[in-house]
Amino acid sequence: MNTQQQGQHFQYKIAGLATVIGEVVTMDEWADSFQIPNRKKPGRFLSGSDVQRIIGPVASKSWDPEFFSNFERIVEVARSAMDAARLTAREIDVVMVATSTPYEVQLDYDSFKLMRALEIPDHIPPLQLAAGCAGMARALSLAAKLNAKNILIVTYEVSSLYMVSPIYRYNTHHPLGDALWASPALFSDGAAALVLRRDEKAQGYSLYSRDSLKFGDEAGFDDPLIHYPGGGALNPPGVGNNEQLSCYAMAGDKTKRYYSKGMHLNHQGLEAHRERYFTEVERIYTHQASPIMVEGFINEFCEINGVEQDKFSTNVRQYGNLVIPSTLKMMHDDMLTGRLKSGDEIAVMVVGAGPERGAFLIEIE
């Protein structure tokens, strides 16, 4: 096992949090509207139960292209997090935007547009992370290296705006073309914003790894997990069949392997820092990749460590994979119900495309 994972002290607490999702539709409703061709029965389409049989028991998902087509939704969730932290735009020192589905791809324009709308002072440079499901671990690892007082992190996944195209159903050129439909079936729409406030007394911890040089006791993991070869200089837009290459395709078996071992390495890293962290934190949040992977990890974790399953929160069956906002949505819901309150410490473990993964211990202010 890898006992040399490097983490760092994290002197921030969660001062404000806000989330928003779109309309939640059942998988039957989604399948009826999306119409995935049934390759075994030409002329017919996969039903909701067909989709669940293949990707796992996702009962419903947040899927709302009309709601999320307005970038103001992202601005609103950022403002709500700042209000919760009782901060004005002039008190924000760092802004990070983390997303795998930017509204405008080039030159980090989403960050510029967001900061202009929030009236963040012009001397604050935009910092945009093109990140998948483990983007929050990357953002907090960067935050740990900063000496800032207030950090605003804004993240969103607008899958329905990217994946509504017929090229996810009819594609002859993407190297993983047969599996493309699984991405819109699993990924969902959501946005979240988090404000971190520096506290010299904070006892948090942040762990991050790309696993490209070494993956625990193995050689480095070199598959990106999400294959999206189109849109850049090698396959520029408007040339040949490059549009068909501009799709998010999951490398299924490799994703399962990376999730399983990556989550265990995350746990080992936190355990090496604080042996019984899982008994001391109020809640443990894991990335909501798919019901089978998430619930398999939780069941094994609880059995090995003697932890009750209600220490964990899950939402993938209800909302699908919200990507980076998934763990933040669970935290926010727990705050709203009173399950999570001021002074509570939580643990978060995530893995995602890149590949990259990370874990952190952090306290609610």
Side-chain angles (χ1 to χ4, degrees):
M1 295 297 180
N2 180 14
T3 59
Q4 302 300 315
Q5 300 188 74
Q6 293 187 0
Q8 53 196 326
H9 190 37
F10 192 75
Q11 292 186 303
Y12 293 91
K13 294 182 180 182
I14 296 176
L17 177 60
T19 62
V20 65
I21 59 172
E23 179 184 3
V24 177
V25 299
T26 68
M27 188 54 74
D28 284 333
E29 291 171 329
W30 181 85
D32 285 346
S33 99
F34 201 78
Q35 295 194 318
I36 303 162
N38 189 328
R39 294 188 180 91
K40 295 182 179 179
K41 300 177 181 178
R44 299 181 65 180
F45 303 100
L46 297 183
S47 66
S49 58
D50 291 331
V51 172
Q52 290 174 307
R53 176 173 47 80
I54 299 169
I55 71 166
V58 177
S60 52
K61 57 195 277 92
S62 167
W63 189 261
D64 201 336
E66 181 177 355
F67 180 83
F68 279 106
S69 64
N70 186 350
F71 188 76
E72 184 62 24
R73 307 301 184 194
I74 311 305
V75 177
E76 289 168 355
V77 81
R79 285 198 184 108
S80 294
M82 291 166 59
D83 289 344
R86 304 175 303 281
L87 291 176
T88 68
R90 293 193 172 277
E91 294 174 291
I92 298 294
D93 304 300
V94 174
V95 177
M96 297 186 197
V97 172
T99 181
S100 64
T101 55
Y103 284 78
E104 299 188 56
V105 175
Q106 296 296 337
L107 300 175
D108 294 345
Y109 188 63
D110 280 18
S111 295
F112 285 86
K113 186 162 55 174
L114 173 69
M115 294 169 73
R116 183 184 304 116
L118 294 175
E119 298 185 351
I120 301 293
D122 285 342
H123 67 273
I124 306 296
L127 180 56
Q128 187 159 328
L129 312 179
C133 297
M136 191 53 60
R138 195 196 310 182
L140 265 64
S141 179
L142 291 173
K145 295 175 169 62
L146 301 176
N147 187 26
K149 186 175 181 181
N150 299 306
I151 300 175
L152 172 65
I153 301 173
V154 182
T155 179
Y156 44 92
E157 178 71 14
V158 288
S159 300
S160 64
L161 299 182
Y162 268 71
M163 300 178 186
V164 71
S165 169
I167 60 176
Y168 278 87
R169 288 161 285 177
Y170 305 97
N171 195 306
T172 57
H173 288 82
H174 195 290
L176 297 177
D178 288 347
L180 282 174
W181 68 267
S183 291
L186 183 60
F187 293 120
S188 294
D189 295 336
L194 177 73
V195 173
L196 302 175
R197 185 156 24 229
R198 189 166 185 85
D199 187 328
E200 300 297 333
K201 297 179 181 179
Q203 297 299 309
Y205 184 72
S206 172
L207 175 75
Y208 175 84
S209 179
R210 296 188 337 273
D211 294 317
S212 61
L213 303 181
K214 188 175 181 181
F215 185 38
D217 53 3
E218 302 178 35
F221 197 98
D222 61 1
D223 192 279
L225 303 182
I226 293 291
H227 292 252
Y228 190 99
L234 295 180
N235 299 290
V239 176
N241 294 297
N242 288 348
E243 181 186 6
Q244 293 196 38
L245 300 179
S246 298
C247 294
Y248 289 92
M250 296 179 285
D253 290 341
K254 293 179 180 179
T255 298
K256 293 175 185 176
R257 188 170 79 84
Y258 186 72
Y259 182 92
S260 177
K261 183 165 184 174
M263 290 295 286
H264 284 288
L265 289 172
N266 283 339
H267 162 59
Q268 290 167 16
L270 292 182
E271 196 174 36
H273 169 69
R274 192 193 304 173
E275 187 174 2
R276 300 288 294 176
Y277 78 91
F278 47 83
T279 65
E280 298 169 2
V281 298
E282 179 64 28
R283 295 287 262 167
I284 302 173
Y285 300 99
T286 66
H287 171 58
Q288 304 293 289
S290 75
I292 294 173
M293 287 191 282
V294 171
E295 292 164 14
F297 172 76
I298 291 175
N299 290 339
E300 183 179 358
F301 186 101
C302 291
E303 182 177 349
I304 292 173
N305 297 294
V307 176
E308 295 294 328
Q309 292 210 3
D310 67 358
K311 177 81 77 168
F312 288 82
S313 176
T314 65
N315 63 12
V316 66
R317 285 178 180 255
Q318 182 179 6
Y319 300 132
N321 184 344
L322 293 170
V323 193
I324 305 173
S326 67
T327 50
L328 297 176
K329 171 63 175 167
M330 290 186 290
M331 288 180 213
H332 193 216
D333 286 350
D334 281 347
M335 289 179 178
L336 294 175
T337 61
R339 178 65 192 266
L340 205 59
K341 58 187 183 301
S342 176
D344 285 343
E345 184 183 33
I346 59 175
V348 181
M349 293 182 277
V350 294
V351 300
E356 61 182 345
R357 62 176 174 86
F360 47 94
L361 302 173
I362 191 168
E363 186 178 325
I364 309 300
E365 188 180 77

